[in-house]
Amino acid sequence: MRRKIVAGNWKMNKSFAEAEDLLNELYDALEEQTPSNVDVVVCPPSIYFEMAVDFSETGIISVGAQDVSKYENGAYTGEISAQMLSGMQVEYCIVGHSERRKYHSETDAEIAQKTDVLLKHDITPIVCCGEILSEREKNIHFEVVKKQISDALFHLDPLDFAKIIIAYEPVWAIGTGHTATPEQAQEMHAFIRKTIEEKFGKEIAKKLPILYGGSCNAKNAKDLFSQADVDGGLIGGASLVAQDFVTIANAF
Ligand code: PGA
């Protein structure tokens, strides 16, 4: 059976006091409704890692970062390295989110470098891919996603590839309320798995967790997670409301 994962991407939200409240609420709600066999990950802004890691010591949640520097260390003002994340007990890191591709011009080559530094420091990369609306309308979404994945990940050796998680996030669904239908999600997830099988073989493809992201919420998570190749979610807006996030983590 594949690992199931629900990760909350807080993005640049919550004041210090609000972050503390949300973590407390999450802790209470998860204690009451603990999902079984699901890795629950919270990805707050980096300034809140210490606070989140304190909660993660309860064993109920793990902490993830939203980004990492592609460099090991050095004169890169404002950046945070994989080694620093690892020292803070951050276990996961989102890479190649569409907001970073769009607002920070992040390329697949940089996503490849970030994946490498994370793996080197034993942090699990959650590598995002997904087409924009015009690409879906032109019916080129499969080739767009295949290129993103191959450019960012096909340089890995199979042992390293086996440590990563992929998140399919159609950009037109992120923060818009226009969730992909369960069928659209399943179709792309199955395609991604087939693409991985062709490159890395059946065993590795079978074990790869593929998360869906894009307006996944407490109402639609069950239908999405019931699809054969959907192994969980990368949750934005709904991860900012403790009860919604916990409902999603229990939606398998
Ligand atoms: P959303 O964001 O759930 O608010 O659509 C998902 C994401 O960007 O990871």
Side-chain angles (χ1 to χ4, degrees):
M1 217 178 63
R2 275 193 296 274
R3 273 163 73 201
K4 302 207 176 306
I5 298 139
V6 171
N9 176 8
W10 290 12
K11 309 190 181 182
M12 197 174 72
N13 290 297
K14 301 287 176 191
S15 68
F16 187 90
E18 289 166 348
E20 202 164 33
D21 286 349
L22 178 53
L23 285 166
N24 272 314
E25 287 163 19
L26 263 181
Y27 180 77
D28 290 345
L30 282 167
E31 238 196 358
E32 213 163 280
Q33 259 187 293
T34 312
S36 54
N37 301 319
V38 180
D39 295 343
V40 181
V41 183
V42 170
C43 305
S46 54
I47 199 154
Y48 303 145
F49 284 156
E50 191 168 355
M51 193 198 298
V53 164
D54 281 349
F55 281 85
S56 77
E57 276 162 10
T58 59
I60 297 188
I61 59 165
S62 302
V63 178
Q66 298 176 14
D67 186 36
V68 67
S69 172
K70 62 187 172 190
Y71 301 111
E72 269 290 338
N73 53 44
Y76 302 104
T77 303
E79 294 276 77
I80 295 179
S81 73
Q83 186 187 42
M84 293 169 191
L85 295 180
S86 151
M88 290 294 292
Q89 280 137 56
V90 169
E91 294 173 67
Y92 296 81
C93 182
I94 300 168
V95 202
H97 190 280
S98 65
E99 285 149 19
R100 296 215 56 93
R101 293 177 189 260
K102 182 174 175 189
Y103 302 123
H104 302 272
S105 311
E106 197 161 293
T107 63
D108 289 321
E110 288 169 315
I111 293 161
Q113 284 177 282
K114 291 182 178 196
T115 303
D116 290 344
V117 285
L118 289 168
L119 288 170
K120 182 172 170 203
H121 291 281
D122 289 325
I123 297 170
T124 303
I126 303 175
V127 182
C128 300
C129 58
E131 79 285 358
I132 60 174
L133 184 60
S134 61
E135 291 165 338
R136 182 162 276 264
E137 285 170 347
K138 281 190 234 142
N139 210 24
I140 55 169
H141 45 296
F142 293 112
E143 63 190 85
V144 166
V145 168
K146 186 173 187 171
K147 182 165 171 26
Q148 289 172 336
I149 291 177
S150 54
D151 288 356
L153 300 175
F154 276 16
H155 67 287
L156 293 173
D157 73 45
L159 278 181
D160 274 340
F161 183 85
K163 297 176 190 157
I164 72 151
I165 296 168
I166 288 183
Y168 168 57
E169 298 207 304
V171 181
W172 46 270
I174 295 178
T176 59
H178 299 298
T179 321
T181 63
E183 294 72 28
Q184 285 172 323
Q186 170 57 24
E187 191 184 27
M188 182 59 88
H189 284 223
F191 172 79
I192 292 171
R193 203 175 299 289
K194 190 172 128 280
T195 303
I196 299 309
E197 184 180 327
E198 283 162 10
K199 169 72 183 168
F200 293 103
K202 209 177 181 69
E203 275 317 297
I204 286 181
K206 225 166 63 184
K207 290 199 183 116
L208 169 73
I210 308 177
L211 314 184
Y212 169 80
S215 298
C216 180
N217 59 38
K219 289 208 178 81
N220 58 31
K222 219 179 184 61
D223 283 346
L224 287 160
F225 296 176
S226 68
Q227 301 299 310
D229 288 289
V230 178
D231 306 308
L234 181 53
I235 317 298
S239 74
L240 300 173
V241 180
Q243 190 50 60
D244 286 359
F245 186 59
V246 174
T247 301
I248 295 169
N250 280 285
F252 291 96

